[in-house]
Amino acid sequence: MNRAAVAGALLLAGGVLGVAWTQPRLARTAHTVKEAGDVYALPPPAQLHAATLGWDAAAVDLLWSKLLVEYGTHWSEHRDFTDVPKYVDAILELEPSYGPLYKYVDTMLAYRPMRGTIDDVRKARAYLERGTHERAEDPEVWMEYGQFLAFIAPSFLADDAERDAWRKDGAEAIGHAVELGADAERALTAATLLTHAGATEAAVRYLERAYAFTEHPSMAEVHEAIGRQLAALQANAMRDAADATERAVDERWRDELPFLTRDEYLLLGPAVDPARCAGLVGADDPACARDWRETGP
């Protein structure tokens, strides 16, 4: 074998060894660069109007398209995506009433790659609340806001009281969406949520309005369903009020005249403090009521 052949073989072997030695390190470097935070190249929202040179609508469409592509790409590559608020703030700076954003912003934050946090959920609520101001007459925005608060956001919250408060706010938003023209069947969902949140009176008032809104013959089926639920809630409210009154009377009986039978106590009427109820001073005092009908629980 001549020297040229030997030199070529040695060169080839050296190249193979060099690639084998540098490839793992280069692969690790490439992986690190890929997993690093994304570069957001746009200026702050306050400077975007100047940067777009008046082409705000076109810039909004481009930003929205870019956001959708980045969202999908990060999911497919299993990479975290924390730049959603930057794109959203930029879009809202240029067009505060941009409808498509309010339809999907809650999903993009709560279910962003790889998983949203409580802070993301709170941001989503803030964006949707802004949407209800920017598009105050849009039933779809109100419905999106209500459904997010009632069904999606509570799973991210740790405090039971806060979850109940968000569900109640969501039910009220769904109810308002129905009043603005959303699917009337959602009225039943909103009323159920309000009832579960302990706001039975609010649910009754809301269903009374929904019942009036659905009087058209084309909505007869929904109208009847709302009427049935309204009647059931009203009956439950009356029963609860009667039970509360009965409990209040029993407590006063045990505290004031327990040596009498309950019937005898009811015949005597409510016991009052003579000193407190003398003259006109105690005329309007509930504690000075002389008739059971004037007393409350």
Side-chain angles (χ1 to χ4, degrees), residues 268-274 277-279 285-295:
L268 288 175
V272 298
D273 182 353
C277 300
D285 190 341
C288 299
R290 305 283 181 170
D291 192 303
W292 289 117
R293 289 173 297 181
E294 299 175 4
T295 62

Side-chain angles (χ1 to χ4, degrees), residues 46-164:
Q47 301 174 12
L48 276 177
H49 287 288
T52 60
L53 302 176
W55 295 87
D56 288 358
V60 166
D61 290 338
L62 287 173
L63 283 169
W64 180 242
S65 300
K66 174 67 172 174
L67 175 56
L68 294 177
V69 170
E70 289 293 331
Y71 183 81
T73 301
H74 281 72
W75 266 121
S76 65
E77 296 178 353
H78 303 286
R79 290 194 292 132
D80 203 11
F81 187 37
T82 59
D83 286 343
V84 172
K86 294 180 181 178
Y87 286 93
V88 172
D89 290 339
I91 291 171
L92 293 180
E93 177 65 27
L94 297 174
E95 190 173 340
S97 61
Y98 191 64
L101 184 144
Y102 294 118
K103 187 175 182 180
Y104 297 106
V105 67
D106 53 337
T107 301
M108 289 186 167
L109 283 167
Y111 299 111
R112 65 170 174 81
M114 295 300 296
R115 176 172 171 78
T117 65
I118 293 179
D119 289 339
D120 291 317
V121 168
R122 297 190 190 282
K123 288 178 184 177
R125 176 171 184 170
Y127 286 130
L128 288 173
E129 283 181 349
R130 180 172 179 178
T132 62
H133 293 290
E134 298 291 349
R135 303 176 66 90
E137 302 301 320
D138 189 340
E140 292 186 2
V141 173
W142 279 97
M143 183 62 70
E144 190 71 29
Y145 175 54
Q147 290 179 333
F148 175 72
L149 294 185
F151 303 117
I152 298 176
S155 63
F156 290 82
L157 303 176
D159 183 70
D160 290 339
E162 187 175 22
R163 280 197 294 265
D164 291 341

